[in-house]
Amino acid sequence: MATQLYFSRDTKCYIEFKDVVWEMPILDGFSFSQANNTSEISLTEMESSGGVSRRGRRAFNDSLAAGEWSFSTYVRPFQADGAALGTGSADAAEEVHAVEEVLWAMMAGADTYTAGAYTRTANAVSGPVITPATNQSTLTFAESNRSTFETANIYFVMGDANRTVIKLKDAVVNEASIDFEIDGIATINWSGQCSEVLDFSGSVIEDSAIPVDTDVTRDSTGASDTVAVGDVWLDSNDSYRLYVLTAINSGADSGHTTYVNEALTDSDNFIRNRLTQLSINGANTTGLLSGADAYKLTLTGGNITISNNVTYITPEELGVVNVPIGHVTGGRAVSGSFTCYLALDTTAMDGSGDLSRDFFEDLRNLTTTVTNSVHQTFMIGGAPGRRLEIDYPTAHVQIPTHSIEDVISLETNFMALPSTIDGTNEVSLTYKI
């Protein structure tokens, strides 16, 4: 008997969204899991005349909990080559995109993908979720005030022989987190939920040609079966690229998803964290310095987190193990922190300076301001050059705390707030090249 083992480094990830499949290069440390919800009953009684007290218990599976997944990607902006869609290109125009942008689109409320743009077609508020252009691509959350988001299917193809395919059905992006590590490459940590985690290997065809509607042998099981919509085709003639069958045509090739895999092998679209800059403008709050770069802070680290606070709803009926039937969004939360050395401009000892000690003092002196408003822009990768800019027009900044180390530092926490309580303009992201 031969034993097949699977190694994480042989794994490929694909995201199916709106009849298009994006190949997503992920880092080591990805995970997915699904547990079940159980209940327990126990016997507790007094001692019988025979000196016996029953103390047994029973457990019952009530339902499946929502599946959970997480993985990391690099921040990788690029300019599309302008080739026709369906050839792997991200855009038929030579405009800026990012390898990981489908995840941002899912997180921000997109429900369609057409000609390189992610938009909202049903009950749209203000148009595109992502707007690509020649030198930059901008993401807004204007369409994110939704109780539910459009879902995607995420596939993990594991192994280089006898491949196992895991399907995360009806997946949503819950959270994106960016950590600033000085010597690292700009990375986004993604996490979310799905309704089911399925071993999909029984619905996978490995072949060098597009399947037809006649019986086929599925390599993963050796069983003869009929091709069906939703099955997965791994193209053995093209590095086992994943397609999902969308239509079964009698006596002809099956319809299947197109794919996007542009810039995956490029080596010049990574971003270095060490070049990251922060611009702070306190013009919205009396008592703080105003100007495009009012406070000059050089970062030593930090974090930015955007969360949808998604929860899945699961019925619980007696005698049935139910699966989640859908998700709902919670309050959108955008927050973060950054660290810098405690620094003083010795030529501005009167408190008029613009370094970190002055920033601390100015915030501490806001004794009559209940909510301060600071315009912050993180330029991950520096400026100019290839970068990701994250803009917070009206961020509320907490008073920095001192960290006593070899070199004394300040840590500052903030939360991004919209201009109105029901607004969606607390954050925007712009990829630039």
Side-chain angles (χ1 to χ4, degrees), residues 68-215:
E68 298 183 352
W69 59 267
S70 66
F71 54 72
S72 299
T73 66
Y74 288 125
V75 178
R76 299 180 67 181
F78 64 92
Q79 187 172 42
D81 59 15
L85 295 176
T87 60
S89 177
D91 199 331
E94 295 182 359
E95 296 179 331
V96 173
H97 289 267
V99 171
E100 68 281 2
E101 69 180 6
V102 64
L103 293 162
W104 285 121
M106 291 166 55
M107 185 175 201
D111 68 354
T112 189
Y113 170 77
T114 305
Y118 300 84
T119 59
R120 186 85 193 188
T121 57
N123 301 316
V125 175
S126 62
V129 172
I130 296 179
T131 304
T134 302
N135 296 315
Q136 67 181 39
S137 178
T138 302
L139 163 75
T140 72
F141 284 78
E143 299 291 346
S144 64
N145 275 3
R146 310 284 175 177
S147 59
T148 61
F149 287 153
E150 193 73 19
T151 61
N153 295 318
I154 301 177
Y155 298 88
F156 292 91
V157 181
M158 300 185 295
D160 59 358
N162 300 311
R163 291 168 181 79
T164 290
V165 176
I166 301 297
K167 177 181 179 180
L168 310 187
K169 183 181 177 182
D170 298 333
V172 295
V173 179
N174 181 46
E175 187 171 284
S177 179
I178 305 174
D179 292 315
F180 303 130
E181 298 178 1
I182 289 181
D183 295 325
I185 301 173
T187 304
I188 306 173
N189 304 308
W190 305 92
S191 61
Q193 293 88 28
C194 62
S195 63
E196 294 181 83
V197 177
L198 304 172
D199 187 335
F200 212 60
S201 304
S203 298
V204 174
I205 304 101
E206 295 184 18
D207 206 327
S208 60
I210 303 172
V212 296
D213 64 341
T214 55
D215 286 351

Side-chain angles (χ1 to χ4, degrees), residues 233-314:
W233 167 44
L234 298 179
D235 186 357
S236 60
N237 202 38
D238 193 5
S239 302
Y240 292 92
R241 176 173 291 128
L242 183 143
Y243 298 83
V244 179
L245 303 187
T246 58
I248 307 303
N249 304 314
S250 179
D253 293 342
S254 300
H256 58 79
T257 53
T258 58
Y259 68 93
V260 175
N261 68 341
E262 189 171 3
L264 299 192
T265 59
D266 292 355
S267 59
D268 61 351
N269 57 4
F270 296 95
I271 292 176
R272 290 176 291 171
N273 280 336
R274 195 178 188 95
L275 303 177
T276 297
Q277 300 176 17
L278 170 63
S279 172
I280 298 179
N281 184 350
N284 296 332
T285 302
T286 301
L288 299 181
L289 299 180
S290 62
D293 200 10
Y295 292 97
K296 298 178 175 60
L297 309 183
T298 302
L299 302 183
T300 57
N303 168 270
I304 294 171
T305 299
I306 304 174
S307 177
N308 282 321
N309 288 305
V310 171
T311 56
Y312 269 75
I313 301 173
T314 307

Side-chain angles (χ1 to χ4, degrees), residues 28-44:
D28 192 20
F30 68 90
S31 68
F32 51 82
S33 63
Q34 186 167 31
N36 58 343
N37 300 312
T38 61
S39 60
E40 180 183 304
I41 61 174
S42 60
L43 298 177
T44 302

